[in-house]
Amino acid sequence: MSFFATLAHVKCCCSVTRISRLYSTAKIFGNAGSAEFVAAAGSITSIPKLRGLPEVIVTGRANSGKSTLFNAVLGRRDLLHTSKKAGRTRELNFFRVGAEPGKLILVDAPGYGSRGRPQWGQMFDKYLETRKELRRVYILFNAKHSLNESDTQMLAHISQMLISTRGTQPFTLQSVITKADCIPADKVSEVITRMRKDIWGAAPLCLPPVVTSATMSPPFGIEELRENIADACGLLAGKRAH
């Protein structure tokens, strides 16, 4: 089976069911110039109050490919800063998606793990605990590496925050597997299956992973992830924001 065919098979097995929609994701993500940086927060007290648009936040271990992937999702090469040096994102960065006044806000969070900082974790937790506009947390895993202790701890930590004290679920959690093209074609199914098992072992409420590669030509999984984000924010036909 070819690399593309193998990835397509895994994608079919792992991803959420695609639904018909009235809002085309092209209207949200299609105009690269419509996405723009709007604010940054370097501390809990500086987390901005925006316009009430639905928000998704993206986190992952340092060097998970977060910036490269979401530049592709937003149709830009340099909106989110990319670097070969891990741990470059040190603030919560807020990006408006969609032409003014916008459709949603994407929040880029600092990476966790050995290069993370305690204050980053405190700010991330405060955002999750208090942000009424938050619809989904995306946690990224590099396909080249197995989940490590910091990954499973983060999954378990976010899972504990999913259910509020009122017994409601304020947001959802979903994993994204990046750099899938770095796996040998004959190992793709095995690797993705193992990662999915590890993810659900740590976070049973985590939604099925979206498998991606932002550096392939054409990129793989980007359209699915765009649709997934729009769905989470209640922008698809028959769906309302959570």
Side-chain angles (χ1 to χ4, degrees), residues 26 33 79 83 99 120 155 165 186 190 197 222:
L79 190 60
S83 174
W120 298 349
L155 280 166
T165 56
D186 61 342
E190 175 187 342
K197 181 179 178 180
I222 301 303

Side-chain angles (χ1 to χ4, degrees), residues 67-94:
S67 297
T68 299
L69 175 64
F70 280 90
N71 275 330
V73 168
L74 298 177
R76 300 282 289 273
R77 290 187 176 183
D78 56 359
L79 190 60
L80 279 72
H81 179 73
T82 59
S83 174
K84 293 182 179 179
K85 183 177 180 180
R88 295 293 294 183
T89 304
R90 300 181 179 183
E91 300 174 304
L92 292 180
N93 293 305
F94 294 74

Side-chain angles (χ1 to χ4, degrees), residues 29-59:
F29 299 98
N31 180 1
S34 70
E36 67 175 10
F37 171 81
V38 292
S43 65
I44 292 173
T45 57
S46 63
I47 295 176
K49 294 182 179 179
L50 299 176
R51 300 178 179 178
L53 293 173
E55 298 182 4
V56 298
I57 189 168
V58 185
T59 189

Side-chain angles (χ1 to χ4, degrees), residues 91-134:
E91 300 174 304
L92 292 180
N93 293 305
F94 294 74
F95 299 88
R96 190 201 71 219
V97 182
E100 184 71 31
K103 294 292 186 181
L104 62 97
I105 299 292
L106 185 146
V107 185
D108 181 23
Y112 59 82
S114 61
R115 296 181 183 271
R117 300 289 184 272
Q119 61 268 31
W120 298 349
Q122 294 165 9
M123 182 170 55
F124 179 79
D125 284 356
K126 187 67 173 180
Y127 172 87
L128 264 59
E129 291 168 355
T130 61
R131 199 68 167 184
K132 294 180 180 179
E133 295 84 3
L134 178 61

